[in-house]
Coordinates of all heavy atoms in Angstrom, one line a residue:
F24 N 0.7 21.7 106.9 CA 1.3 20.7 106.2 C 2.8 20.9 106.0 O 3.6 20.0 106.2 CB 0.6 20.6 104.8 CG 1.0 19.3 104.0 CD1 0.4 18.1 104.3 CD2 2.0 19.4 103.0 CE1 0.7 17.0 103.6 CE2 2.3 18.2 102.4 CZ 1.7 17.0 102.6
G25 N 3.2 22.1 105.8 CA 4.6 22.4 105.7 C 5.3 22.2 107.0 O 6.4 21.7 107.1
Q26 N 4.6 22.7 108.1 CA 5.2 22.4 109.4 C 5.4 21.0 109.7 O 6.4 20.5 110.3 CB 4.3 23.1 110.5 CG 4.2 24.6 110.4 CD 3.0 25.1 111.2 OE1 2.1 24.4 111.6 NE2 3.1 26.4 111.5
L27 N 4.4 20.2 109.3 CA 4.4 18.7 109.6 C 5.6 18.1 108.8 O 6.3 17.2 109.3 CB 3.1 18.1 109.2 CG 3.0 16.6 109.4 CD1 3.2 16.2 110.8 CD2 1.7 16.1 108.8
M28 N 5.7 18.4 107.5 CA 6.8 17.8 106.7 C 8.1 18.1 107.3 O 9.0 17.2 107.2 CB 6.7 18.4 105.3 CG 5.4 17.9 104.5 SD 5.3 16.1 104.3 CE 4.0 15.7 105.6
D29 N 8.3 19.3 107.8 CA 9.6 19.6 108.5 C 9.8 18.7 109.7 O 10.9 18.1 109.9 CB 9.6 21.1 108.9 CG 10.9 21.5 109.4 OD1 11.5 20.9 110.3 OD2 11.5 22.6 108.9
A30 N 8.8 18.6 110.5 CA 8.9 17.8 111.7 C 9.0 16.3 111.5 O 9.7 15.6 112.2 CB 7.6 18.1 112.6
L31 N 8.4 15.9 110.4 CA 8.5 14.4 110.1 C 9.9 14.0 109.7 O 10.2 12.8 109.8 CB 7.5 14.0 109.0 CG 6.0 14.0 109.5 CD1 5.1 13.5 108.3 CD2 5.8 13.1 110.7
E32 N 10.7 14.9 109.3 CA 12.1 14.6 109.1 C 12.8 14.1 110.4 O 13.6 13.2 110.4 CB 12.9 15.8 108.5 CG 12.4 16.1 107.0 CD 13.1 17.4 106.5 OE1 13.9 18.0 107.2 OE2 12.7 17.8 105.4
I33 N 12.4 14.8 111.5 CA 12.9 14.4 112.8 C 12.3 13.0 113.1 O 13.0 12.1 113.6 CB 12.4 15.4 113.9 CG1 13.1 16.7 113.7 CG2 12.7 14.8 115.3 CD1 14.6 16.7 114.0
G34 N 11.0 12.8 112.8 CA 10.4 11.4 113.0 C 11.1 10.3 112.3 O 11.3 9.2 112.8
R35 N 11.5 10.6 111.0 CA 12.2 9.6 110.2 C 13.5 9.3 110.8 O 14.0 8.1 110.8 CB 12.3 10.1 108.8 CG 11.1 10.1 107.9 CD 11.4 10.6 106.6 NE 10.3 11.1 105.8 CZ 10.3 12.1 104.9 NH1 11.4 12.7 104.6 NH2 9.2 12.4 104.3
I36 N 14.2 10.3 111.2 CA 15.6 10.1 111.8 C 15.4 9.3 113.1 O 16.2 8.4 113.4 CB 16.3 11.4 112.1 CG1 16.6 12.1 110.8 CG2 17.5 11.3 113.0 CD1 17.0 13.5 110.9
A37 N 14.4 9.6 113.9 CA 14.1 8.8 115.1 C 13.8 7.3 114.8 O 14.3 6.4 115.5 CB 13.0 9.4 115.9
I38 N 13.0 7.1 113.8 CA 12.7 5.7 113.4 C 14.0 5.0 112.9 O 14.3 3.8 113.3 CB 11.7 5.7 112.3 CG1 10.3 6.0 112.9 CG2 11.6 4.3 111.6 CD1 9.7 4.9 113.8
A39 N 14.8 5.7 112.1 CA 16.0 5.1 111.6 C 17.0 4.8 112.8 O 17.6 3.7 112.8 CB 16.7 6.1 110.7
A40 N 17.1 5.7 113.7 CA 18.0 5.5 114.9 C 17.5 4.3 115.7 O 18.3 3.5 116.2 CB 18.1 6.7 115.7
S41 N 16.2 4.2 115.9 CA 15.6 3.1 116.7 C 15.8 1.8 116.0 O 16.2 0.8 116.6 CB 14.1 3.3 116.9 OG 13.8 4.6 117.6
A42 N 15.7 1.8 114.7 CA 16.0 0.6 113.9 C 17.4 0.1 114.0 O 17.7 -1.1 114.1 CB 15.6 0.8 112.4
V43 N 18.3 1.1 114.0 CA 19.7 0.8 114.2 C 20.0 0.2 115.6 O 20.7 -0.8 115.7 CB 20.6 2.1 114.0 CG1 22.0 1.8 114.4 CG2 20.6 2.5 112.5
G44 N 19.3 0.7 116.6 CA 19.5 0.2 117.9 C 19.0 -1.3 118.0 O 19.6 -2.1 118.6
L45 N 17.8 -1.5 117.4 CA 17.3 -2.9 117.4 C 18.2 -3.8 116.6 O 18.4 -5.0 117.0 CB 15.9 -2.9 116.9 CG 15.1 -4.2 116.9 CD1 15.1 -4.8 118.3 CD2 13.7 -4.1 116.3
A46 N 18.7 -3.4 115.5 CA 19.6 -4.2 114.7 C 20.9 -4.5 115.5 O 21.4 -5.6 115.4 CB 20.0 -3.5 113.4
A47 N 21.4 -3.5 116.2 CA 22.6 -3.8 117.1 C 22.3 -4.8 118.1 O 23.1 -5.7 118.4 CB 23.0 -2.5 117.7
A48 N 21.1 -4.8 118.7 CA 20.7 -5.8 119.7 C 20.7 -7.2 119.1 O 21.1 -8.2 119.7 CB 19.4 -5.4 120.4
A49 N 20.2 -7.2 117.9 CA 20.1 -8.5 117.2 C 21.5 -9.1 116.9 O 21.7 -10.3 117.1 CB 19.3 -8.4 115.9
L50 N 22.4 -8.2 116.4 CA 23.7 -8.7 116.2 C 24.4 -9.1 117.5 O 25.1 -10.2 117.5 CB 24.6 -7.6 115.5 CG 26.0 -7.9 115.3 CD1 26.2 -9.2 114.4 CD2 26.7 -6.7 114.6
S51 N 24.2 -8.4 118.5 CA 24.8 -8.7 119.8 C 24.3 -10.1 120.3 O 25.1 -10.9 120.7 CB 24.5 -7.7 120.9 OG 25.0 -8.0 122.1
A52 N 23.0 -10.3 120.2 CA 22.4 -11.6 120.5 C 23.0 -12.8 119.7 O 23.3 -13.9 120.2 CB 20.9 -11.6 120.4
A53 N 23.2 -12.5 118.4 CA 23.7 -13.5 117.5 C 25.2 -13.9 117.8 O 25.6 -15.0 117.8 CB 23.6 -13.0 116.1
L54 N 25.9 -12.8 118.2 CA 27.3 -13.1 118.5 C 27.4 -13.9 119.8 O 28.3 -14.8 119.9 CB 28.1 -11.7 118.7 CG 28.4 -10.9 117.4 CD1 28.8 -9.5 117.8 CD2 29.5 -11.7 116.6
R55 N 26.6 -13.6 120.8 CA 26.7 -14.3 122.1 C 26.3 -15.8 121.9 O 26.9 -16.7 122.4 CB 25.7 -13.7 123.1 CG 26.2 -12.3 123.6 CD 25.4 -11.9 124.9 NE 24.0 -11.9 124.7 CZ 23.3 -10.9 124.2 NH1 24.0 -9.8 123.9 NH2 22.0 -11.0 124.0
F56 N 25.2 -16.0 121.1 CA 24.7 -17.3 120.9 C 25.7 -18.1 120.1 O 26.0 -19.3 120.4 CB 23.4 -17.3 120.1 CG 22.7 -18.6 119.9 CD1 21.9 -19.2 120.9 CD2 23.0 -19.4 118.8 CE1 21.4 -20.4 120.8 CE2 22.4 -20.6 118.6 CZ 21.6 -21.2 119.6

C-alpha cells in the first residue's frame, strides 16, 4: 500500500500532464476555428 501511494503520485502527475496536453489541443483548435 505504501509503495502504491508513492507510485500513484507519478500517476497523478501523468494524468495532469495529459489533461494539460488535451486542453492545449482544445485551445489550439478554438484559435484556428
Side-chain angles (χ1 to χ4, degrees):
F24 193 81
Q26 294 165 342
L27 179 65
M28 291 301 104
D29 187 308
L31 286 183
E32 292 174 4
I33 293 290
R35 288 181 196 148
I36 292 167
I38 287 288
S41 301
V43 170
L45 182 56
L50 176 57
S51 180
L54 287 168
R55 290 194 306 272
F56 185 85

